Amino acid sequence: IKGQYGKYYALYDDKLRSSLLHDQAIADSMEDALSGDQFQIYLQPKYRIIDGALAGAEALVRWEHPEWGVQSPANFIPLFEKNGFITKMDQYVWEKTCRVLQEWEDKGYPQIPVSVNVSRADIFNADLSCILQRSVKKYGLHPSRLHLEITESAYTETPSQIIDTVAHLREMGFVIEMDDFGSGYSSLNMLNNLPIDILKLDMQFIQSETAKPVSQGIMKFIISLARWMHLSVVAEGVETKEQLSRLEEAGCDYVQGYYFAKPMPCREFEKLLAEESVS
Ligand code: C2E
Ligand code: CA
Ligand code: CA
Ligand code: CA
């Protein structure tokens, strides 16, 4: 029995060590990644349901590492949130997004907004509004071209001064989207007091055919409530035609998901924009 135990212990230990090595390797190379332009923006289109128009995009970061290849956020964002590097990386992503938006203006493409992700640590940064304002100003953009996706969980147990920060950003003209809505942290009552423009429904309500009648009922309910509060609703994680029809029926405004397109490099996204401008 002792031997057995030792075996499992060793296994656990190896796993732990390799995850620590993994974290260490990432921490060692993150500054180089920033200075070496290894963080790239991928864009995923959002469409308006009623007419199918291209209505926006979400910027999702990818780490194009010279040795490890393209890394998805799940491999590094949690660590960056722990060690604080997320604020630096996000600033970089926001600025890069603004540059892309300006390029589109120069090329005469339709002026759709792009959403960027704002993590909880970013909101606690006292300079947040200055940083965002500087980025849009630098590229001559109206703040409404940038939508800020703030995850629902960032609002919980958040001091009221943080809510004030978000309210201030909204007054400055940034459009606030509440990400992952319904993922379990908020109460509907919270919606009453929060400075937001758009609700982004959590994927669980849409995804998988395991979506139970109850989840579908909740989804419909949230969409009607949002409409009643004059909030727009975006559904993400739309993968099938059936899911799209259910959302349409429920009165959802915008959709995003693999059914339409996966996140893609900016150059590829430009082709969608170019098509949109001729049609
Ligand atoms: P999120 O903000 O909830 O983004 C949605 C995630 O769902 C993205 O994963 C996207 O690629 C994926 N997705 C889109 N359509 C579908 C679909 O139809 N089915 C499924 N199963 N998934 C779909 P991704 O790009 O791996 O990003 C994961 C998370 O990492 C994001 O979740 C966000 O929380 C975080 N993240 C990504 N980029 C950034 C960033 O620049 N800054 C910060 N702070 N967080 C980021
Ligand atoms: Ca998001
Ligand atoms: Ca989300
Ligand atoms: Ca999320």
Side-chain angles (χ1 to χ4, degrees), residues 151-153 179-186 200-205:
T151 184
E152 178 195 78
S153 57
D179 204 353
D180 308 321
F181 185 77
S183 58
Y185 294 91
S186 60
K200 223 173 158 187
L201 266 185
D202 193 64
M203 278 189 209
Q204 63 166 327
F205 296 112

Side-chain angles (χ1 to χ4, degrees), residues 148-165:
L148 310 178
E149 292 194 6
I150 304 176
T151 184
E152 178 195 78
S153 57
Y155 287 99
T156 49
E157 291 170 49
T158 291
S160 62
Q161 90 213 49
I162 300 303
I163 309 273
D164 292 347
T165 305

